[in-house]
Amino acid sequence: MTLHTSKSFRDSLEELDAGAMGAFEARKGRHGLLLDGQFAKLATTVYAPVAGTALPVRLKTRTTSGLVAWRYGMVEGDATHVDLVAGVRLWSARVRMAYAVPVPTPPPVPQQYAGQQSHRWVDAQVGVKGRHGFDNGVFVGGWVLAGAGESDLSTDLMLLAGYDINERLAVIAGYRRLSTDFETSGGFRFDTTMQGPGLGIEYRF
């Protein structure tokens, strides 16, 4: 059975059980380490077409993604930084599906079902990240990463703007789009895109 769901940012917030995102970066000269991670747990109801009717299916997903990358400063100006990024991204996905209908269903669809599948996979990631600061404390930045490995393709796009409250603390608003297309020989496919706006705090040690 193939299920497809597309939710707005508002709907995703209502169906979100838990979520978190964070990043850490360390620099020494032109070289550095970039760590990034996301976690999302959602529950929703989707409708699968079966014998001309819509079968309601309860779907729960838990998605975790983590990036470990090396960065190299190609441009190291007072106001502008442009980095080359290369690393690996680990994905983990668990999908639970359950349904029950009061009337017999056409074969081979069972009348009721409950089960789950979990998979992990790793992709190489390369791209660029940059940032430009203005004299009034405002800055803009983002990154573009893409790669493949055990998945056909995974991408990561981030656009952000922020304001330096002081030398160490800043507030950030941005938009992120993270996607992967993974499939196993056993027929499991996890083709998903997570995107939406966000607010955050940046602290510099």
Side-chain angles (χ1 to χ4, degrees), residues 10-25:
R10 180 178 179 179
D11 291 339
S12 297
L13 282 180
E14 293 177 353
E15 297 173 348
L16 183 68
D17 292 334
M21 180 175 67
F24 173 82
E25 185 173 351

Side-chain angles (χ1 to χ4, degrees), residues 91-114:
W91 290 89
S92 175
R94 186 188 71 187
V95 179
R96 290 179 173 175
M97 185 175 70
Y99 68 85
V101 292
V103 296
T105 54
V109 180
Q111 190 171 344
Q112 60 182 8
Y113 173 83

Side-chain angles (χ1 to χ4, degrees), residues 21-86:
M21 180 175 67
F24 173 82
E25 185 173 351
R27 296 170 176 258
K28 185 176 182 180
R30 288 185 177 269
H31 298 273
L33 174 68
L34 174 63
L35 304 176
D36 174 68
Q38 305 83 32
F39 171 80
K41 185 178 180 182
L42 297 100
T44 186
T45 299
V46 298
Y47 294 87
V50 176
T53 64
L55 176 66
V57 179
R58 190 61 177 169
L59 190 66
K60 295 183 178 181
T61 62
R62 186 184 67 187
T63 307
T64 305
S65 173
L67 174 71
V68 179
W70 163 82
R71 50 79 56 190
Y72 176 77
M74 297 186 294
V75 177
E76 295 277 347
D78 292 336
T80 303
H81 300 270
V82 179
D83 301 336
L84 173 67
V85 179

Side-chain angles (χ1 to χ4, degrees), residues 78 134 184 186:
D78 292 336
F134 301 93
T184 69

